[in-house]
Amino acid sequence: MEASDDYVHAVKNAKGKETCSFSLNLGKTQHSPAPSSPQTRHHTVSGEGRARWLEDHWFPARRRKNPSLRFSAGESNGIRIEGPVTPGETASDFEMRWKRQLSSALKKIETEDLGNMNATTLRDSIPEEDPEGRGARDLRDLERRLSVTVVFCENGHVLLVGQEAKLQKKCFEIRNILSHYHWRLSGTDVAFKNMTGTK
């Protein structure tokens, strides 16, 4: 898991119990390329997608198992885990424990950029209910069933995030919904090869 600009901050509450706040930026590269380079843009996009995937599919179970901790994803690439340490655990231990778990969770997660599809307008054009099974509710059901996340980015791009095998073989219905409404908006199909998964 490539990331940097992470930090862990420890404080003691009024009862003397230590509480940690661990933040991780998933969109930074280890080699710090130029801010406008393709590599930086790729990692920024990938980081935003992975942060959203964690929020949708990994954090919910962690919240149930760790009710004293708070798990949150920032507006773009960052995630934060905060709460009391376990008995005998240091702030460094807290950081390493969650870094290992995050690395394991994201090991097989890939981010596919479907291209500039005017994401905000596209998202808003999808009706909540659709008799043909192409509504926003249907899209959310598919995301839950497949453990994938569709991200409508502010830069106009649409991301599809999940395990690589599922992105390649299981996401036809999701791609069809996005392609259908994009075609209705523009009359053309952006990146048809990517959207359909064909070669």
Side-chain angles (χ1 to χ4, degrees):
M1 179 176 62
E2 292 187 4
S4 64
D5 289 357
D6 53 292
Y7 70 90
V8 59
H9 178 64
V11 297
K12 288 187 177 181
N13 60 24
K15 297 181 179 179
K17 190 171 184 179
E18 189 170 53
T19 298
C20 285
S21 177
F22 165 56
S23 295
L24 184 66
N25 187 334
L26 298 171
K28 294 290 186 178
T29 67
Q30 293 177 334
H31 304 295
S32 300
S36 60
S37 74
Q39 183 183 3
T40 296
R41 289 194 296 272
H42 167 75
H43 282 278
T44 299
V45 165
S46 179
E48 181 175 1
R50 290 185 294 175
R52 285 289 305 278
W53 183 90
L54 288 168
E55 178 63 49
D56 290 347
H57 303 291
W58 196 74
F59 284 169
R62 307 288 89 68
R63 292 183 180 114
R64 291 192 295 271
K65 294 179 181 179
N66 303 273
S68 63
L69 299 181
R70 293 179 59 190
F71 299 83
S72 59
E75 294 183 356
S76 55
N77 310 315
I79 61 99
R80 176 177 294 179
I81 302 171
E82 53 189 333
V85 300
T86 59
E89 186 178 48
T90 66
S92 179
D93 294 335
F94 182 91
E95 176 186 17
M96 293 307 300
R97 172 161 63 99
W98 287 108
K99 269 191 172 182
R100 285 194 296 269
Q101 292 193 42
L102 286 163
S103 179
S104 177
L106 294 170
K107 185 176 181 180
K108 297 182 179 181
I109 300 303
E110 299 291 337
T111 299
E112 181 179 346
D113 187 346
L114 301 181
N116 190 338
M117 302 179 71
N118 199 357
T120 301
T121 302
L122 175 63
R123 180 192 60 207
D124 294 343
S125 74
I126 303 175
E128 182 65 19
E129 304 285 350
D130 179 77
E132 301 296 328
R134 294 182 297 209
R137 183 190 296 272
D138 303 298
L139 185 60
R140 292 194 298 270
D141 287 344
L142 287 166
E143 289 179 275
R144 283 193 293 268
R145 190 198 321 160
L146 298 172
S147 294
V148 301
T149 291
V150 178
V151 184
F152 297 91
C153 301
E154 291 184 0
N155 67 359
H157 286 236
V158 176
L159 311 178
L160 192 57
V161 190
Q163 291 186 9
E164 183 177 8
K166 290 184 178 180
L167 297 186
Q168 292 180 352
K169 301 178 181 180
K170 303 290 186 179
C171 291
F172 176 77
E173 291 178 86
I174 290 178
R175 296 173 189 274
N176 185 52
I177 291 173
L178 297 172
S179 184
H180 171 74
Y181 288 104
H182 182 266
W183 179 83
R184 288 181 61 176
L185 285 172
S186 66
T188 58
D189 199 348
V190 170
F192 180 78
K193 181 186 296 185
N194 291 337
M195 288 294 298
T196 60
T198 59
K199 302 294 184 181

